[in-house]
Amino acid sequence: MMRVNLVLLVALVLSAIYLVGVQYDSRRHFVELDRVNNEARRLAMEHERLQVERRAQATSARVEKLAREKLDMRPATAAISAYVNYTAPTMGSATNGNPAAASAQGAGRVAGTVP
């Protein structure tokens, strides 16, 4: 009977130690989960803030202002535009029926004018 009691006592102590270890791990995992959830909320708020900032940075007025000031760009007008006239090549005697020569000859006919 003494042996059975001793075996049961050892089993009880081991079971108690195991239970304490499981509870400790459970609390540790819960704290880690809470920390990760807080980090996820913080990152979601940061992402939303960056999205708002990106939308504010991409307004057309701001982009136009930056293009004018930093890139020295200006709106296109008829006075500063270059116009290109293109006439389709004809299959004449100069090409001897060769389509590659015809397109090369037609490419030479492209004329650009700058007012």
Side-chain angles (χ1 to χ4, degrees):
M1 186 68 170
M2 184 70 160
R3 285 189 190 166
V4 174
N5 287 340
L6 187 58
V7 169
L8 289 175
L9 179 65
V10 169
L12 180 67
V13 169
L14 291 176
S15 176
I17 291 173
Y18 176 74
L19 180 63
V20 168
V22 167
Q23 286 178 341
Y24 174 77
D25 287 341
S26 175
R27 287 186 185 120
R28 188 173 47 85
H29 289 307
F30 180 76
V31 168
E32 181 70 16
L33 178 65
D34 191 43
R35 186 188 65 77
V36 168
N37 284 338
N38 288 338
E39 181 73 10
R41 277 191 293 277
R42 186 190 66 78
L43 289 174
M45 289 183 349
E46 177 76 8
H47 181 266
E48 185 62 30
R49 185 188 64 79
L50 290 173
Q51 291 289 359
V52 168
E53 186 176 318
R54 184 182 75 174
R55 283 191 295 269
Q57 295 287 328
T59 60
S60 59
R62 183 179 181 284
V63 171
E64 185 177 339
K65 178 184 172 195
L66 286 174
R68 197 175 302 118
E69 291 174 358
K70 292 194 178 196
L71 301 176
D72 198 29
M73 297 174 85
R74 59 186 183 271
T77 62
I80 61 172
S81 298
Y83 297 95
V84 177
N85 296 322
Y86 175 74
T87 57
T90 59
M91 298 296 278
S93 63
T95 61
N96 295 328
N98 185 352
S103 54
Q105 181 184 12
R109 292 184 188 168
V110 175
T113 59
V114 178

